[in-house]
Amino acid sequence: MSNDDGHPNDKPDGSANGGQGDGATWADLTNQGNLKQESGDLAGAITAFDRAIALAPGELAPHYNRGNAHGLAGDVEASIADYTEALRIDPEFAPALIRRGLARQRHGDIDGAQEDLERAVKLAPDNPDAYGTRGSLRALLGDYAGARADCERALALAPADWKQREDMTDLLQHLATAEEDDGEDDHDHDHDHDHDHDHDHDHDHDHGEDEEDEPNGRAIAIVEEVLKAAKWSHQRVEEEADEDEWVTYLTPIDQDGLASAMVRISEPIRRFLLHIVYQPAAPEEHRAQVAEFLTRANDGLCDGNFEMSYRTGEVRYKVAIDWSGTALDPMLVRNAILNAMDMTEAYEEGLTAVLSGQKTALAAIESAEAEL
């Protein structure tokens, strides 16, 4: 059986018996937590792991498994703390290094993520998850050759029914495209350099040359690579063609107050857009208060903004990238996604209270920003 995030079921437990009631051992409670997590009851799973840890704080399994549950629930900091405690108990437990590496990546600690995944590969050289996870991070950082080597090694090590096999195969295809495009960039740059002395006066008047040198499809491939590395499932939406050639992807989130993400990219005009959509839509009777809440939240933001459609009541957070005059960097896309998720989660509870009419805009924004 596999976990929801596609990794093999590496959840340790304590025993095969699943005792119930007040006499349950830490192992029984750990098994109960695993079952609750598999059924989707993350709050119940965390409670069971809490009880197991209270009975046996020195056991690795409940700490590690609670870290998985916290991660699935979106509490990245709590998951990192649990994996760190599991590694204090057993510093060579590679699954905790892999999961903590993923969590650190989500939290923006790229150096920490790299350190964990490098160590995981050394400790578990036959573990396909270690190579696959490091390969995804390397792709995100633009190390296409290293990512390709890791993906190929992971596929060679993994069993036929490995849950990440399809994702790794897709990532390899994207990497091949990116490496080919990089090679074309290098060739074009060398060719242009050889003729610079003949065209200096033209270069002075053509400031869009760098834009035209970016191969068609490269930016789209980069966005798809970042979405895969971030473990965001995404479906391309068929649209009527227009002069800006927008490409749109939808990613379901369905996490408490967050419904979905919409990614749009246009290579002709060098634009990337990300919308995180809240749920439910604002009821008509609360839209004035929601608009006030969003206006107050936007005050001081520097990278994105909240917005609402007065026609439908849809509330979303938007962040954009304009890469005119240069090539799109995967780190820019990654940072935009992290920024959007940080902001939407920071204001989610307050917005939900205003959407439901439980709080005024002023009370909700004061509560939300007191915790920032």
Side-chain angles (χ1 to χ4, degrees):
M1 186 173 291
S2 70
N3 292 320
D4 291 341
D5 58 6
H7 284 75
N9 186 355
D10 52 10
K11 296 190 295 291
D13 56 27
S15 69
N17 56 24
Q20 304 285 334
D22 294 338
T25 66
W26 72 266
D28 298 330
L29 291 166
T30 299
N31 288 332
Q32 289 177 30
N34 291 340
L35 292 173
K36 287 180 181 294
Q37 178 178 315
E38 290 169 3
S39 70
D41 180 8
L42 296 178
I46 291 170
T47 297
F49 295 138
D50 287 343
R51 292 178 61 199
I53 290 169
L55 289 176
E59 292 292 339
L60 179 148
H63 288 286
Y64 173 74
N65 292 347
R66 188 176 68 177
N68 294 341
H70 275 139
L72 289 171
D75 192 342
V76 180
E77 291 184 357
S79 69
I80 291 173
D82 279 333
Y83 296 139
T84 299
E85 180 61 18
L87 288 165
R88 186 193 65 79
I89 295 169
D90 182 357
E92 297 189 354
F93 186 55
L97 282 168
I98 296 170
R99 293 301 183 92
R100 191 174 70 175
L102 276 171
R104 282 177 161 177
Q105 178 183 327
R106 289 182 61 191
H107 203 246
D109 180 8
I110 298 300
D111 290 341
Q114 288 178 301
E115 180 181 338
D116 279 347
L117 297 176
E118 292 291 342
R119 190 167 158 224
V121 167
K122 290 179 181 178
L123 287 173
D126 296 326
N127 187 328
D129 290 320
Y131 287 99
T133 307
R134 189 178 68 173
S136 295
L137 179 59
R138 283 178 163 179
L140 180 65
L141 298 175
D143 178 8
Y144 301 138
R148 177 169 49 80
D150 276 347
C151 291
E152 290 174 347
R153 181 61 176 160
L155 290 170
L157 290 170
D161 61 350
W162 188 43
K163 289 293 184 180
Q164 293 190 79
R165 181 172 290 280
E166 183 177 352
D167 285 344
M168 283 294 105
T169 302
D170 288 346
L171 181 55
L172 268 178
Q173 293 175 348
H174 290 303
L175 289 168
T177 301
E179 287 184 294
E180 180 180 343
D181 290 342
D182 277 355
E184 291 177 3
D185 283 348
D186 292 341
H187 172 76
D188 290 344
H189 177 76
D190 291 342
H191 177 77
D192 292 342
H193 181 73
D194 290 341
H195 295 83
D196 275 350
H197 63 280
D198 294 327
H199 300 285
D200 283 346
H201 62 285
D202 292 335
H203 179 75
D204 290 340
H205 298 285
D206 185 6
H207 300 292
E209 186 176 8
D210 289 340
E211 292 183 9
E212 295 174 2
D213 285 346
E214 186 172 37
N216 188 41
R218 181 180 185 273
I220 292 174
I222 284 174
V223 169
E224 290 183 349
E225 289 163 21
V226 173
L227 293 175
K228 285 182 177 294
K231 306 299 181 185
W232 274 23
S233 62
H234 52 283
Q235 180 177 358
R236 185 163 174 171
V237 178
E238 295 298 328
E239 297 181 284
E240 292 186 8
D242 61 25
E243 61 181 10
D244 292 336
E245 300 179 18
W246 285 101
V247 174
T248 301
Y249 301 92
L250 286 180
T251 295
I253 299 178
D254 198 20
Q255 172 185 313
D256 297 327
L258 304 180
S260 61
M262 181 174 68
V263 173
R264 304 194 74 206
I265 181 169
S266 169
E267 291 191 321
I269 62 172
R270 299 320 199 252
R271 294 293 189 276
F272 167 90
L273 292 174
L274 169 63
H275 287 94
I276 306 293
V277 181
Y278 285 92
Q279 60 184 2
E284 192 168 353
E285 63 271 21
H286 297 318
R287 287 179 193 173
Q289 281 293 303
V290 171
E292 179 184 340
F293 177 88
L294 299 181
T295 300
R296 292 179 180 275
N298 283 333
D299 185 19
L301 295 184
C302 60
D303 294 324
N305 66 277
F306 292 94
E307 57 189 26
M308 178 183 69
S309 167
Y310 256 98
R311 180 175 58 84
T312 66
E314 182 179 87
V315 179
R316 51 193 176 259
Y317 184 82
K318 179 181 72 178
V319 65
I321 300 172
D322 175 355
W323 77 93
S324 300
T326 186
L328 182 63
D329 188 289
M331 285 301 291
L332 289 177
V333 179
R334 169 197 167 276
N335 290 344
I337 291 174
L338 289 178
N339 167 265
M341 291 305 298
D342 285 347
M343 289 297 99
T344 52
E345 291 172 358
Y347 287 94
E348 178 185 348
E349 185 176 341
L351 177 58
T352 299
V354 179
L355 287 170
S356 62
Q358 295 177 355
K359 285 187 178 182
T360 65
L362 181 59
I365 203 72
E366 288 177 346
S367 177
E369 294 187 341
E371 299 178 5
L372 294 181

